[in-house]
C-alpha cells in the first residue's frame, strides 16, 4: 500500500519510512545468514547419512553375493534325479514267484530303497539362515537411515523456500525506496496504473456491504408492508396495524441514523 500510494506527505514521515526499510533490510540480511547457516548444517548432516548408508550397503553386498552362491548350490542339490531306475517288463510266461522255504511270497530283491538325507543340504540351509540373520539388522539400519534422509530432505526444501522468500523481500526493498522518492510506483514507472491498495480494505468492504445490504432488506420489507396497508380501508379497526407499521419504519430510520455516520463520516 505504501509503495503504490504513500500515505505520508511530509519529509519527516518519508525519512522515517526509508529508515524503516533500511532497518528491515538489515534484519532480513541477518535472517538470511542464519537460515543459510542452518541449511548448511542440514546439508552436512545429509552427507553424513549418505556415507552411513553407503557403508551399510557395502556390508550387505558381500553377504547377498555369498547367499546367492549358497542358494544356487542348494537348488542344484534339491533337484530330483532326472533318470529313474528302469523296471523291466515281465510277461505272463516269465513270472517267477519268489518263495521262502515255508512257501510264502517274498518281496523282489531289486526294490529301490529311500535315498539317505544329504548332510550338505542341511549345512547349506543353516548357512543361508545365518547369513539372513546378519543381513536383517543391516537392512533395518538402512531403512532407518533412509527415513532420516527423507525427513532431512523435507527440512532442506522448507529451508530453501524460506531463504527464497527472504531474498525476494530483500531484493524488492531498493525498489520501495525508489518509489518513495518518486511518490509511489505509479509515478516512478511511466504508464504504470496500479490500483490504490487500502490496508484491510477487503474487510472494510465486506462489512460495508453486509450492513447496507441488511438495511436495504429492511427498507424493501417496509415497502411491502406499505403495499399491503394500501389494500385495506383505514379506520379505527386498523389502528394497531398502522401503529406497528410506523414503529417498523422508525426502527429502519433509527438504524440508518447510526449506520450513515459509521460508514460515511468516520
Amino acid at each position: 500500500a505504501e509503495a503504490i500510494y504513500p500515505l505520508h506527505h511530509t519529509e519527516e514521515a518519508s525519512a522515517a519510512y526509508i529508515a524503516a526499510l533500511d532497518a528491515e533490510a538489515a534484519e532480513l540480511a541477518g535472517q538470511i545468514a542464519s537460515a543459510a547457516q542452518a541449511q548448511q548444517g542440514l546439508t552436512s548432516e545429509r552427507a553424513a547419512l549418505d556415507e552411513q548408508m553407503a557403508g551399510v550397503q557395502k556390508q550387505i553386498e558381500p553377504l547377498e553375493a555369498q547367499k546367492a552362491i549358497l542358494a544356487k548350490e542348494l537348488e542344484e542339490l534339491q533337484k530330483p534325479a532326472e533318470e529313474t531306475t528302469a523296471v523291466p517288463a515281465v510277461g505272463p510266461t516269465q513270472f517267477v514267484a519268489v518263495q521262502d522255504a515255508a512257501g510264502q511270497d517274498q518281496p523282489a530283491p531289486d526294490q529301490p530303497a529311500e535315498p539317505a538325507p544329504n548332510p550338505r543340504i542341511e549345512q547349506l540351509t543353516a548357512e543361508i539362515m545365518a547369513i539372513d540373520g546378519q543381513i536383517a539388522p543391516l537392512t533395518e539400519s538402512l531403512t532407518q537411515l533412509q527415513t532420516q534422509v527423507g525427513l532431512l530432505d523435507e527440512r532442506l526444501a522448507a529451508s530453501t523456500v524460506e531463504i527464497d522468500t527472504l531474498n525476494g523481500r530483500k531484493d524488492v526493498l531498493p525498489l520501495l525506496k525508489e518509489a518513495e522518492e518518486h511518490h509511489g510506483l505509479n509515478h516512478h514507472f511511466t504508464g504504470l496504473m496500479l490500483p490504490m491498495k487500502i490496508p484491510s480494505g477487503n474487510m472494510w468492504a465486506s462489512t460495508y456491504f453486509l450492513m447496507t445490504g441488511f438495511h436495504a432488506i429492511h427498507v424493501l420489507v417496509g415497502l411491502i408492508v406499505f403495499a399491503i396497508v394500501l389494500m385495506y380501508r383505514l379506520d379505527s379497526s386498523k389502528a394497531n396495524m398502522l401503529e406497528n407499521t410506523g414503529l417498523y419504519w422508525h426502527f429502519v430510520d433509527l438504524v440508518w441514523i447510526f449506520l450513515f455516520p459509521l460508514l460515511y463520516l468516520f
Side-chain angles (χ1 to χ4, degrees):
E2 294 283 347
I4 296 174
Y5 185 79
L7 301 178
H8 43 265
H9 304 285
T10 63
E11 294 183 0
E12 292 79 6
S14 178
Y17 176 69
I18 292 178
L21 292 179
D22 292 335
E24 184 180 359
E27 182 180 359
L28 287 172
Q31 293 178 2
I32 292 172
S34 177
Q37 184 177 2
Q39 188 182 51
Q40 185 177 2
L42 292 175
T43 304
S44 301
E45 187 175 354
R46 175 72 158 77
L49 288 176
D50 288 338
E51 292 181 359
Q52 294 181 23
M53 290 174 58
V56 173
Q57 191 65 35
K58 287 182 179 180
Q59 297 179 34
I60 293 177
E61 289 176 357
L63 294 174
E64 291 284 358
Q66 183 180 0
K67 178 183 175 181
I69 295 174
L70 296 177
K72 185 176 180 180
E73 183 180 353
L74 179 62
E75 183 180 0
E76 293 292 336
L77 291 176
Q78 289 178 339
K79 284 183 179 180
E82 296 180 359
E83 298 180 357
T84 56
T85 305
V87 179
V90 179
T93 59
Q94 298 174 344
F95 177 76
V96 177
V98 180
Q99 297 179 344
D100 56 7
Q104 296 181 354
D105 295 337
Q106 296 293 325
D110 56 351
Q111 184 176 358
E114 295 183 357
N118 191 342
R120 180 57 179 166
I121 293 179
E122 297 179 359
Q123 180 183 0
L124 289 174
T125 304
E127 291 180 2
I128 290 175
M129 291 180 62
I131 292 176
D132 286 336
Q134 297 177 21
I135 292 177
L138 294 175
T139 304
E140 183 179 358
S141 176
L142 186 61
T143 302
Q144 294 177 357
L145 290 174
Q146 291 174 347
T147 302
Q148 295 178 16
V149 168
L151 296 176
L152 276 179
D153 287 340
E154 293 179 0
R155 294 172 61 186
L156 282 170
S159 177
T160 301
V161 172
E162 180 185 3
I163 291 176
D164 291 342
T165 303
L166 294 174
N167 281 322
R169 175 61 181 174
K170 182 183 177 182
D171 293 340
V172 82
L173 291 180
L175 178 61
L176 298 182
K177 293 175 65 175
E178 294 178 4
E180 175 62 25
E181 296 174 357
H182 296 83
H183 305 288
L185 292 173
N186 289 337
H187 294 278
H188 181 56
F189 295 100
T190 305
L192 188 63
M193 299 180 62
L194 294 175
M196 184 175 65
K197 175 69 176 178
I198 302 176
S200 303
N202 291 335
M203 179 59 69
W204 186 92
S206 299
T207 305
Y208 170 84
F209 286 111
L210 178 67
M211 298 179 71
T212 55
F214 274 115
H215 181 66
I217 292 174
H218 288 142
V219 172
L220 180 61
V221 172
L223 294 176
I224 294 174
V225 172
F226 274 167
I228 295 175
V229 169
L230 292 177
M231 299 172 60
Y232 293 93
R233 179 182 179 84
L234 303 179
D235 52 18
S236 59
S237 62
K238 303 297 187 296
N240 289 334
M241 184 175 65
L242 289 176
E243 183 176 0
N244 291 333
T245 302
L247 289 175
Y248 177 83
W249 271 101
H250 284 318
F251 159 74
V252 175
D253 292 337
L254 184 64
V255 170
W256 184 250
I257 288 174
F258 289 96
L259 192 62
F260 179 79
L262 180 65
L263 295 179
Y264 297 99
L265 301 183
F266 293 100

